Amino acid sequence: METFNNFLGGTAALFGDPMGVLIFFGGVIGGMLFGAIPGVSMLTLAAILLPFTAHLSAEHGIMLFSVIYCTGVYGGAITAILFNIPGAPENAPTAFDGYPMTLQGKAGKAVGAAVMCSAIGGVVSCIIMMIATAPIADWAISAFGPPEIFALVFFGLAVAASVGAKTFWKGWLSIMIGLMIAVVGLDPVGGIERYNFDMPYLAAGIHFIPTILGFFAVSEIFVQAEKKATGSYTAPKLSVDFPTFKELWAHKIAVVRSIIIGFFCGILPGIGATLAAFMGYNEAARWSKDRMEFGKGKLEGVISSETANNAATGAAMIPLLALGLPGGALTAMMVGVFQMHDMEPGPLVFINSPDLVWVVFAAMFFANVSILLVGFLEAKTIVNLLRIPFQFLAPMILLLATVGAYAVRGLTIDVVVMFVAGVAGFFLRRSGYSVAGIVLGLILGKIGEQTFAQAMQMLHFEFTGFFNRPIALGLLIAGALTILGSIYGAFFKKQPVPASDN
Amino acid sequence: MSKLRTGHIVEVAFWLLLVLFFFVYSFEFNQDIEIYKYGAAMWPRAILLLIAIAAIGQLLDQRRNGDRSSSNTMAKAHEDSAQESDNSSLGWYVSTFILLAIPFIYMVLPEKAASLMSVTDIAPGEAGIGRVKIICAAVLFAIYLMFSWRNHVGAILALPIFFAALLEDMGFYALAPVFIVGIMILMGERRINRMAMIMPFLYGLLMLFFVKLLYVGLPTGNVRPFYDFGNWVVTLLQ
């Protein structure tokens, strides 16, 4: 009852303030648009807006970012489905089936499923977030230390290695490339410069935003450009045929499973929506009767990925607000907003600024509801982007990506890094490597190393210490079994003929 | 029976050489950390070991299964993983490598050329180095056009990097229109009237949204007359 009263109080505060309403709707539309425009993402919008939040109140600034987070995660699905360009890493698994559906003329069905499932996942996640923030935060504090987080990162990477690349080995290599990129810069324990090659720019590490833009947006343009140059380009077919209620109801179990996966992945610091989407997709394929159909345009693939990543958005706010730990790139920027207002996210926020917390919770709830309302209208408009010939769309995407990469730090070298990553992504994709795996390795690399170092210090540099921590041990064993299973499959299972060869 | 091709061996050799290079370089920062006995080099070396294992595993897998080597159930059919292409001859790779090298040559050439020509005003923004940069850019662009004539895909890959390399000196405002037209041509557009309509539209849209509405400070460049043009556009819009 207290939760409900607090929610009503937050809602009244949100909609009783004209400036708050303006910022809320600005965030909803901005997040959806930036998520949906190929080549830029909600992170681009957030990076551009970050300096301007100094002129807003802390309440409005955090609320704006949380709304962009919810709607941007959904918006990124649109480009993943229509152009095979995930707006953010968490939308990467959506492209696995969403884009083949577009090529088959079922873009509308995929987008419609993304709208419905993003809204369902987000709303449920918000409700659980409001009810369970305190007890879950207490549990996470006591049960999840650095060994558990490291074990979870290991498990996540082991699972991701088996997704996205042509072979398990290439999937594993893709992740390792990402981990090596994350190594460049300062080491997280001693602050020692690594692989800087005497270049001052590399001393600070390679920023993830230009790298993500390069591997996803730019490399996709190059792949399509090659197809155009060689005459094998197929324009996506246009359709606004949304899925029926019956079609969605048939996947109710996938939705519930993805909500559970998404929420538990989202609540863990540093893991967030990306792993949620990969695991949601992976589990859907594992439990499906026609698992061989995944990757060829199966609606369940889009449903499971989009439900899971939006279910993670509400959960990701728990470690941020309760522990001060960002769950990903956007929540890390939220820490910046807090700091610009001389505040530190953490347990004290609940005591010192309960109004802020509940306005943010209410805004996130209504942002997810508005995905359902605005999303269908927006999707019908955005699907029309497919009518634009690619030779006119490509320069726009490349220039938007240029502005996005440059706006982060105001360095032209970031633009060079982005295009170099794009070229690298193009060649790696041609050879069957996974750009999504590289990006996941890049994002989780720093967290993995940091938590490994903390875990080893905690366990007095004894690896056997993991045996005394059941959750960490369980996750390590699960990760190791996933890898061993893939290796077994590689060497001892008879290989079926891939569909593309038929 | 072995199903290995030369390409498979080259791929594994590439990874192993990369591992060797980064392993040797790791001695540059292999320092002790008082509170962490593994030091700064342990984590990257562990990753390098895993890369080597995966590369050898890939080779063994390809030896057994050839190009149809093992795959997980989901990735098997998904298009993202392998874009087979006709552009895979040695000549294509050499010409693409030259095209990709051009922007990086531009990054070091003007300073070297200025010192050879005994140009004295070499601080960024000064006229002497500015002229050298324009000449270098023009010469390299001519070489780019020469190689891009027969290698469209390589040209598409290199043009954005060339654009990014020139951004610091020539600025976004002056380069963006040329870049838009360049990409459209490389993508196969030949209708001049269409390009004449689309280019100002895209450029105007970007300028209005980012410069006028969001006040994003894009690079104006430091070489005249590009610098003056960039400032003129910014003044006009803001």
Side-chain angles (χ1 to χ4, degrees):
Chain A
M1 195 61 197
E2 193 192 338
T3 305
F4 186 65
N5 287 337
N6 285 332
F7 173 67
L8 287 182
T11 307
L14 172 67
F15 292 110
D17 170 14
M19 185 66 178
V21 174
L22 198 69
I23 290 172
F24 173 81
F25 283 107
V28 167
I29 293 167
M32 280 190 194
L33 271 182
F34 268 73
I37 297 171
V40 293
S41 69
M42 60 172 177
L43 292 177
T44 315
L45 177 65
I48 293 168
L49 290 178
L50 190 58
F52 302 104
T53 53
H55 305 293
L56 301 175
S57 68
E59 208 170 272
H60 287 155
I62 301 291
M63 187 262 283
L64 173 66
F65 270 58
S66 59
V67 170
I68 290 173
Y69 188 29
C70 294
T71 54
V73 167
Y74 149 72
I78 307 261
T79 47
I81 292 166
L82 298 184
F83 303 100
N84 203 18
I85 301 172
E90 49 264 40
N91 302 111
T94 309
F96 294 171
D97 281 281
Y99 188 61
M101 284 182 77
T102 299
L103 294 177
Q104 293 160 16
K106 297 179 194 163
K109 276 204 190 301
V111 171
V115 170
M116 286 293 292
C117 295
S118 296
I120 292 169
V123 166
V124 174
S125 171
C126 270
I127 293 170
I128 303 174
M129 169 185 79
M130 286 187 263
I131 296 169
T133 299
I136 288 177
D138 285 347
W139 174 76
I141 291 168
S142 57
F144 267 76
E148 284 74 21
I149 296 174
F150 168 72
L152 194 74
V153 169
F154 171 72
F155 175 63
L157 293 178
V159 171
S162 62
V163 180
K166 189 180 176 188
T167 69
F168 161 72
W169 300 108
K170 289 191 172 180
W172 193 240
L173 278 166
S174 306
I175 282 169
M176 292 301 139
I177 297 167
L179 290 177
M180 272 310 281
I181 298 172
V183 161
V184 177
L186 299 179
D187 115 85
V189 187
I192 295 164
E193 287 183 15
R194 298 186 298 198
Y195 297 119
N196 63 356
F197 302 102
D198 297 324
M199 291 162 74
Y201 169 74
L202 290 179
I206 296 172
H207 203 280
F208 63 88
I209 290 181
T211 321
I212 289 175
L213 282 170
F215 277 120
F216 279 118
V218 178
S219 78
E220 178 60 30
I221 296 295
F222 290 158
V223 168
Q224 301 301 337
E226 186 191 28
K227 285 181 181 170
K228 276 211 81 119
T230 54
S232 56
Y233 176 75
T234 323
K237 293 169 191 161
L238 188 67
S239 126
V240 282
D241 174 26
F242 287 133
T244 59
F245 179 75
K246 199 178 160 190
E247 279 174 300
L248 289 172
W249 185 249
H251 297 104
K252 55 188 179 297
I253 294 170
V255 171
V256 174
R257 184 175 50 229
S258 290
I259 287 174
I260 296 167
I261 291 170
F263 193 83
F264 278 97
C265 286
I267 201 170
L268 299 164
I271 308 295
T274 307
L275 186 65
F278 273 100
M279 284 190 67
Y281 184 84
N282 205 9
E283 290 309 308
R286 198 200 296 261
W287 291 91
S288 175
K289 282 176 193 161
D290 6 280
R291 63 175 68 176
M292 293 302 284
E293 294 303 310
F294 275 77
K296 296 179 190 169
K298 196 163 166 59
L299 189 65
E300 196 178 339
V302 176
I303 286 175
S304 51
S305 158
E306 275 309 301
T307 311
N309 64 24
N310 268 74
T313 55
M317 294 300 284
I318 295 171
L320 178 77
L321 290 173
L323 306 170
L325 289 172
L330 201 113
T331 39
M333 289 190 206
M334 282 191 210
V335 175
V337 181
F338 272 109
Q339 286 168 347
M340 269 198 274
H341 292 89
D342 294 326
M343 292 168 78
E344 282 296 331
L348 283 178
V349 172
F350 284 87
I351 299 162
N352 295 336
S353 317
D355 294 350
L356 181 148
V357 172
W358 281 99
V359 166
V360 169
F361 283 177
M364 287 184 74
F365 178 85
F366 288 108
N368 281 302
V369 172
S370 56
I371 288 176
L372 201 61
L373 304 175
V374 188
F376 273 109
L377 294 174
E378 191 222 12
K380 292 208 178 206
T381 320
I382 294 284
V383 166
N384 285 300
L385 279 175
L386 294 175
R387 291 187 198 276
I388 304 171
F390 194 71
Q391 63 266 34
F392 302 140
L393 202 56
M396 190 66 177
I397 295 171
L398 291 174
L399 285 179
L400 283 173
T402 302
V403 176
Y406 182 78
V408 179
R409 299 192 286 190
L411 294 174
T412 53
I413 193 80
D414 275 338
V415 183
V416 177
V417 166
M418 176 185 73
F419 286 126
V420 170
V423 172
F426 169 79
F427 282 110
L428 288 165
R429 286 172 66 167
R430 265 165 62 118
S431 308
Y433 294 89
S434 155
V435 287
I438 297 171
V439 169
L440 196 72
L442 170 65
I443 291 169
L444 294 183
K446 279 255 185 287
I447 298 161
E449 184 178 10
Q450 197 162 14
T451 50
F452 175 75
Q454 287 168 347
M456 293 321 292
Q457 286 167 322
M458 251 177 88
L459 304 173
H460 307 290
F461 299 95
E462 294 286 342
F463 282 96
T464 50
F466 280 103
F467 289 104
N468 301 324
R469 303 184 73 100
I471 296 175
L473 185 66
L475 287 166
L476 287 176
I477 290 172
L481 286 176
T482 305
I483 294 169
L484 289 174
S486 301
I487 294 174
Y488 173 81
F491 286 116
F492 302 107
K493 268 192 185 168
K494 194 173 183 303
Q495 296 307 312
V497 178
S500 54
D501 289 4
N502 287 329
Chain B
M1 197 178 71
S2 172
K3 293 178 179 174
L4 279 181
R5 286 191 294 110
T6 316
H8 299 148
I9 296 166
V10 170
E11 196 175 333
V12 172
F14 168 78
W15 288 119
L16 294 179
L17 281 172
L18 202 77
V19 165
L20 186 68
F21 171 76
F22 279 96
F23 178 73
V24 171
Y25 197 90
S26 71
F27 286 94
E28 291 275 324
F29 55 82
N30 187 24
Q31 298 169 30
D32 288 333
I33 301 170
E34 201 175 328
I35 53 165
Y36 187 57
K37 74 173 185 182
Y38 298 131
M42 190 280 284
W43 181 263
R45 283 176 182 173
I47 297 169
L48 292 171
L49 177 69
L50 291 171
I51 291 177
I53 292 171
I56 293 165
Q58 171 74 12
L59 185 76
L60 295 175
D61 195 2
Q62 282 168 332
R63 186 167 170 262
R64 188 182 150 91
N65 297 311
D67 274 334
R68 200 172 291 156
S69 55
S70 70
S71 168
N72 62 79
T73 50
M74 286 164 298
K76 203 160 285 159
H78 109 69
E79 224 194 16
D80 181 46
S81 42
Q83 300 285 346
E84 294 302 332
S85 165
D86 298 332
N87 298 315
S88 50
S89 67
L90 184 65
W92 183 83
Y93 277 109
V94 171
S95 133
T96 304
F97 177 79
I98 293 168
L99 280 166
L100 289 172
I102 288 172
F104 298 97
I105 294 171
Y106 176 78
M107 287 180 184
V108 291
L109 187 65
E111 274 75 19
K112 304 265 183 214
S115 67
L116 278 176
M117 292 190 289
S118 308
V119 175
T120 48
D121 42 353
I122 55 164
E126 291 203 40
I129 188 75
R131 275 194 296 272
V132 176
K133 281 178 175 175
I134 291 173
I135 293 166
C136 288
V139 170
L140 288 170
F141 190 64
I143 298 171
Y144 168 84
L145 288 178
M146 210 166 68
F147 277 90
S148 62
W149 196 252
R150 286 186 182 173
N151 184 355
H152 263 204
V153 176
I156 293 171
L157 297 179
L159 187 65
I161 305 181
F162 200 13
F163 164 71
L166 292 172
L167 267 184
E168 185 77 32
D169 295 326
M170 316 291 175
F172 183 88
Y173 302 95
L175 287 178
V178 184
F179 181 71
I180 295 170
V181 172
I183 293 289
M184 283 197 284
I185 292 171
L186 287 171
M187 293 272 184
E189 184 58 55
R190 294 291 179 270
R191 293 164 295 186
I192 293 171
N193 56 345
R194 279 281 180 98
M195 285 193 279
M197 279 192 315
I198 298 288
M199 188 276 284
F201 175 72
L202 292 185
Y203 185 70
L205 208 64
L206 270 175
M207 292 298 117
L208 282 177
F209 188 68
F210 286 107
V211 184
K212 178 90 177 160
L213 203 69
L214 294 177
Y215 291 94
V216 175
L218 296 165
T220 48
N222 54 35
V223 171
R224 286 171 192 272
F226 304 100
Y227 171 76
D228 296 328
F229 178 75
N231 275 326
W232 176 75
V233 174
V234 175
T235 317
L236 193 74
L237 290 170
Q238 289 182 353

